Amino acid sequence: NDMSDSAPHTGMRAPLSAADAKHRDLLNRTLVAVAEEDRDAFAELYRLTSACLFGVIVRMVRNRAEAEDLLQDVFVNVWRRASAFDATRGTAMTWLIALARNRTIDRLREHREDAASTTVCNGSNRSSGAQFATHFLAGKAQRARDQAMCPARDDEELDTP
């Protein structure tokens, strides 16, 4: 999907290859089948997407064991909420990545809140604006890396599904 060096860069992605479009459509159909409680489709969706989703999660939490736990939570949520997927609003991969990112962000917030309550209980406050900025900027950089690591998905916003 390389754009020609002679073409001006417009910020638009090159058109999907036939293989990419076929893969995107397969994921969309598979997720729709999961919404109909098709267990085989769920197993296939896991096979097709778990590596990419695990990569997104592990880069955010930097802990393989916690990433594995979060991936399991994400797929439980996929099973429960697959009927909320709307192919007119985005691709299955975009929806799945949004679920993974949102669940991981929730877990990171839980850890941050636990650490903050521990700090308050210990009578000290070591958090600083610099720490907040570091976390904020890391999130921006992470999103750029996520987009680069999952080339099969479109450049759609990762809205809450």
Side-chain angles (χ1 to χ4, degrees):
N1 288 355
D2 292 333
M3 295 177 71
S4 168
D5 289 336
S6 61
H9 181 64
T10 62
M12 305 276 301
R13 289 184 112 185
L16 287 178
S17 71
D20 288 341
K22 184 176 178 180
H23 183 71
R24 181 194 62 211
D25 293 341
L26 172 64
L27 290 179
N28 287 351
R29 287 190 314 275
T30 305
L31 186 52
V32 168
V34 171
E36 297 168 358
E37 299 185 0
D38 181 331
R39 291 173 185 257
D40 292 333
F42 182 75
E44 181 69 0
L45 186 69
Y46 184 89
R47 186 186 69 75
L48 293 169
T49 63
S50 62
C52 181
L53 296 177
F54 181 76
V56 169
I57 295 167
V58 79
R59 283 189 305 275
M60 292 176 73
V61 297
R62 297 184 179 104
N63 178 307
R64 288 188 69 83
E66 188 161 16
E68 290 168 0
D69 182 50
L70 282 162
L71 184 66
Q72 180 176 346
D73 287 353
V74 168
F75 274 96
V76 167
N77 203 18
V78 167
W79 179 257
R80 291 179 181 156
R81 296 192 55 210
S83 62
F85 170 67
D86 180 357
T88 64
R89 295 185 63 209
T91 67
M93 198 66 205
T94 299
W95 190 81
L96 291 166
I97 289 171
L99 284 180
R101 284 182 47 80
N102 291 342
R103 179 64 191 106
T104 304
I105 288 167
D106 288 346
R107 177 75 59 93
L108 292 171
R109 284 182 183 144
E110 290 168 10
H111 288 313
R112 188 173 62 217
E113 289 168 6
D114 289 346
S117 65
T118 301
T119 300
V120 169
C121 290
N122 290 337
S124 65
N125 184 358
R126 296 189 181 132
S127 65
S128 70
Q131 288 173 326
F132 170 78
T134 299
H135 281 62
F136 177 79
L137 294 173
K140 293 282 189 186
Q142 183 61 51
R143 182 170 179 164
R145 285 192 299 274
D146 293 347
Q147 290 173 343
M149 293 302 292
C150 298
R153 71 164 239 270
D154 298 334
D155 263 348
E156 300 165 20
E157 284 298 313
L158 294 177
D159 294 328
T160 303

